[in-house]
Amino acid sequence: MEKKKILEIKNMNISFCQYQKGMRQEELPVIRDLSLSVHEGEMVAVVGSSGSGKSLLAHGVMGILPYNASMGGEILYRGEPLTEKRIRKLRGKEIVMVPQSTSYLDPLMKVGTQICKGKKDPVRQKKLDGIFSRYSLAKEVQEQYPFELSGGMTRRVMISTAMIEDPRLVIADEPTPGLHQKAAKRAMEHFRELADMGAGVLIITHDLELALETADRVLVFYAGYTLEDAKAEDFCKEETLRHPYTKALWRAIPKNGFQYIDGVQPYVKDMPSGCPFAPRCSRCSEKCHGEIPYREVNGGYVRCVYDS
Ligand SMILES: Nc1ncnc2c1ncn2[C@@H]1O[C@H](COP(=O)(O)OP(=O)(O)O)[C@@H](O)[C@H]1O
Ligand SMILES: [Mg+2]
């Protein structure tokens, strides 16, 4: 049976309005033409280097973009438009985010009260105790304040905040930095469990290797563009991947040779025309500088003039 779509994003654009010298305004497009879907029971990873637009994607869905940002395109949640009013109602309940920054925790509230949002009835308390033992957090931590926690504990507390809600859609923005490898892997497995119980999970990370261990699909971000949407098994070998940048990421994984490519991702202000990866791509040709559609190839998507 076809699994239902929990989240569908169609042609999302996000840009910032910035004032230049004098009163001149400038539009800075930071996410362009982004489309993705997350189905029930599916874990989708968004992988990209720092500054590629991953957090803004999460904030766009959650309706928490900064005031100087504007968003275009369409976001559907369970088949209906996710309007401002609707996300306000669902945020923190059916739709939860594990934010990238630990500053989202309230420094003046005890951890346990904060996770339970003040509602500490016996049912919730029991659930919280269960989550804490799953994350190897001592019960005493519930009585502590955020500043008393180590970095790794803070991460696990933030993940617990999402887990207490039985969410249908989880967006986790780099939930694993500061965790040692074993804990990071365990955290990813917990997100996997949520997906296996039927939730849609969108994991944002710059760690492709970690994503591949648990995710069903991987979206590759680069300078605000989605360059590829591939099944995790497409990463078993280089030949099944579609975009030259994805292949470069594949070759940079230690077990595949640890080969790094030269250059850096372009900043929004000096974006080349056409493919943003073209300046670093060994296959770059004349046609890479024109408009490049995002199209379906072999059960995945790619934004490249070549098929593979
Ligand atoms: N408030 C803002 N004003 C202007 N530009 C911003 C703002 N927030 C983020 N950006 C820019 O948007 C781009 C994407 O940011 P972000 O989504 O945080 O990247 P990532 O999470 O992938 O590291 C970056 O180039 C960043 O400089
Ligand atoms: Mg980020």
Side-chain angles (χ1 to χ4, degrees):
M1 200 180 74
E2 176 95 338
K3 288 254 171 80
K4 283 205 192 101
K5 274 182 191 163
I6 298 240
L7 176 70
E8 185 172 16
I9 300 176
K10 295 185 193 169
N11 315 103
M12 176 197 264
N13 291 291
I14 295 179
S15 57
F16 283 102
C17 179
Q18 277 194 340
Y19 283 96
Q20 297 306 105
K21 273 187 234 117
M23 281 305 278
R24 213 159 57 83
Q25 268 188 34
E26 196 183 29
E27 279 283 309
L28 280 181
V30 282
I31 286 190
R32 307 177 201 226
D33 187 32
L34 184 154
S35 297
L36 69 82
S37 324
V38 183
H39 296 78
E40 279 176 352
E42 189 178 41
M43 185 167 168
V44 177
V46 168
V47 174
S49 52
S50 180
S52 57
K54 306 182 300 297
S55 291
L56 291 173
L57 156 67
H59 295 179
V61 175
M62 298 304 292
I64 54 166
L65 284 172
Y67 73 95
N68 60 335
S70 57
M71 179 165 73
E74 220 182 333
I75 304 177
L76 302 177
Y77 172 68
R78 303 180 69 213
E80 302 280 333
L82 190 58
T83 57
E84 235 170 88
K85 193 170 155 207
R86 200 159 165 235
I87 185 65
R88 227 179 299 132
K89 228 170 79 191
L90 300 176
R91 190 164 56 209
K93 301 184 185 85
E94 261 184 66
I95 304 181
V96 299
M97 176 171 92
V98 181
Q100 177 170 17
S101 165
T102 51
S103 64
Y104 283 76
L105 288 176
D106 183 340
L108 300 178
M109 205 191 269
K110 282 182 183 169
V111 164
T113 320
Q114 186 157 175
I115 295 176
C116 294
K117 301 191 181 70
K119 294 177 274 185
K120 264 193 152 184
D121 54 81
V123 181
R124 248 179 196 265
Q125 183 59 54
K126 196 157 165 242
K127 197 165 170 194
L128 181 60
D129 293 346
I131 292 172
F132 264 46
S133 72
R134 257 205 327 210
Y135 287 113
S136 318
L137 286 163
K139 198 160 181 215
E140 297 81 79
V141 175
Q142 292 179 23
E143 297 303 316
Q144 290 181 330
Y145 290 93
F147 75 89
E148 297 176 272
L149 312 179
S150 70
M153 280 158 84
T154 307
R155 282 283 152 205
R156 284 177 280 154
V157 164
M158 284 167 62
I159 298 172
S160 306
T161 310
M163 300 297 184
I164 198 121
E165 292 297 338
D166 295 321
R168 284 186 172 211
L169 175 64
V170 182
I171 301 180
D173 190 1
E174 311 232 19
T176 59
L179 297 184
H180 56 81
Q181 208 189 353
K182 225 168 98 192
K185 229 174 130 167
R186 261 222 316 274
M188 290 298 257
E189 280 159 9
H190 287 304
F191 286 114
R192 177 75 254 176
E193 271 169 35
L194 276 180
D196 292 341
M197 290 188 301
V201 179
L202 190 68
I203 290 275
I204 293 170
T205 175
H206 56 258
D207 190 337
L208 174 60
E209 239 187 320
L210 190 63
L212 288 174
E213 285 178 18
T214 37
D216 300 299
R217 273 189 308 118
V218 175
L219 257 80
V220 178
F221 263 37
Y222 188 80
Y225 283 95
T226 323
L227 296 186
E228 179 160 354
D229 181 340
K231 291 194 285 292
E233 59 260 35
D234 294 343
F235 284 84
C236 290
K237 51 183 198 293
E238 194 180 332
E239 293 73 37
T240 34
L241 295 170
R242 300 158 189 84
H243 199 284
Y245 177 60
T246 318
K247 289 174 195 258
L249 288 180
W250 186 90
R251 288 194 298 271
I253 294 177
K255 69 170 193 269
N256 301 331
F258 229 144
Q259 293 170 49
Y260 273 88
I261 40 164
D262 288 334
V264 287
Q265 117 189 309
Y267 181 59
V268 271
K269 279 187 178 162
D270 30 50
M271 198 65 83
S273 66
C275 177
F277 186 62
R280 300 169 76 185
C281 186
S282 60
R283 300 180 72 190
C284 176
S285 65
E286 198 51 47
K287 51 187 177 181
C288 301
H289 301 299
E291 180 108 340
I292 302 167
Y294 192 51
R295 58 200 176 93
E296 201 169 350
V297 174
N298 294 335
Y301 288 85
V302 69
R303 195 184 302 276
C304 182
V305 294
Y306 304 107
D307 280 353
S308 62

